[in-house]
Amino acid sequence: MEFVNQSGVEAGWTLGFEPDGRELLTVVVKATYNIPANGQEPTLAEEQMNLVQGDEFSGEPGLSAPLHESDYSHRKPRCDVVLNGSAYAPGNLPAAAAEVSLRVGSMRKSFSVFGDRRWQDIMLSTGDPEPFTRTPISYDHAYGGADSNEDQPEKVATYPENPVGKGYHPIRRRSALVGELLPNTAEGRSPISDTKGHHRPMSFGPVGRNFSPRYKHAGTYKIGR
């Protein structure tokens, strides 16, 4: 097979398989645009972003938030809307909280962002959020995480909707939580202040393959010898 790219943007191909064994040929075309601030039509960027060959993370793969997933998806019936960025305080003046919002067409998502907070004592009290001018937005800083107790290392509790976040501690002793950071984002207008609640993790980044509900669609696997 000869693959010729005359589009002027990034393009590539890969092979895959359907569940019934049929072979797939997937062609990917990726274009990078400049989005003007004055509301005019986007223009094709002079420098085009390369195709992402494999998933990229903010830190250790599988234990940190995904930043970019492989562009070689075998099937993508709908459009993804993903934003990696930071929250900036209004007017660039230090603020304890700010609201962020992303809108594309009829799709809109908004949530609150707070400055850093830590558990202060064994009663799990917290002070006011520290003022910030800029704070990153990602699932690393949203509610979730994995928790364990050093007395029972085999016992682990993971927040399925966001296993890489922070704030979820149903197992660890209170004394071990003093100084630990709480999540910086919340669905409502109030910061999250409990360790065992059910909170929707808030971010604009990609939902990881090991997040709920994605991992439920992975199928079953058998490890052979």
Side-chain angles (χ1 to χ4, degrees):
M1 185 188 78
E2 182 180 7
F3 182 79
V4 179
N5 178 17
Q6 297 179 333
S7 65
V9 297
E10 293 290 311
W13 63 275
T14 189
L15 294 174
F17 293 92
E18 291 278 22
D20 62 4
R22 288 181 297 167
E23 196 171 30
L24 290 173
L25 173 64
T26 302
V27 177
V28 182
V29 180
K30 181 176 183 178
T32 306
Y33 289 87
N34 296 315
I35 301 178
N38 55 11
Q40 294 181 349
E41 290 291 326
T43 58
L44 201 63
E46 182 175 344
E47 182 179 354
Q48 293 290 303
M49 295 180 63
N50 295 328
L51 289 167
V52 178
Q53 304 294 324
D55 295 356
E56 299 173 352
F57 299 83
S58 63
E60 186 176 351
L63 300 177
S64 60
L67 295 176
H68 308 281
E69 290 200 338
S70 170
D71 286 317
Y72 292 95
S73 173
H74 290 168
R75 183 175 287 101
K76 190 179 288 290
R78 295 181 178 86
C79 175
D80 290 334
V81 177
V82 174
L83 174 64
N84 292 320
S86 300
Y88 292 83
N92 204 33
L93 299 174
E99 184 176 359
V100 293
S101 182
L102 172 65
R103 185 177 69 180
V104 178
S106 61
M107 187 282 300
R108 178 169 180 168
K109 184 177 183 179
S110 302
F111 53 87
S112 298
V113 179
F114 301 91
D116 285 345
R117 296 171 300 131
R118 297 177 184 271
W119 299 116
Q120 294 182 332
D121 49 52
I122 198 171
M123 299 305 294
L124 297 186
S125 63
T126 63
D128 294 330
E130 297 178 7
F132 69 91
T133 54
R134 173 186 175 275
T135 190
I137 298 174
S138 81
Y139 282 108
D140 290 314
H141 301 277
Y143 187 78
D147 193 38
S148 62
N149 190 323
E150 60 183 18
D151 297 331
Q152 297 175 291
E154 73 284 352
K155 186 178 180 181
V156 178
T158 302
Y159 201 70
E161 293 181 36
N162 180 20
V164 303
K166 54 189 178 183
Y168 179 64
H169 298 292
I171 299 178
R172 203 180 313 182
R173 296 190 306 269
R174 288 188 174 188
S175 59
L177 294 178
V178 177
E180 289 287 320
L181 284 166
L182 281 83
N184 296 90
T185 63
E187 188 171 14
R189 294 182 176 273
S190 300
I192 296 170
S193 58
D194 66 87
T195 62
K196 301 179 183 180
H198 183 78
H199 302 286
R200 183 183 174 196
M202 302 306 294
S203 176
F204 297 131
V207 175
R209 300 179 191 272
N210 58 332
F211 292 21
S212 176
R214 285 192 66 184
Y215 73 82
K216 298 177 182 179
H217 300 284
T220 57
Y221 297 83
K222 182 178 180 180
I223 300 176
R225 293 181 178 273

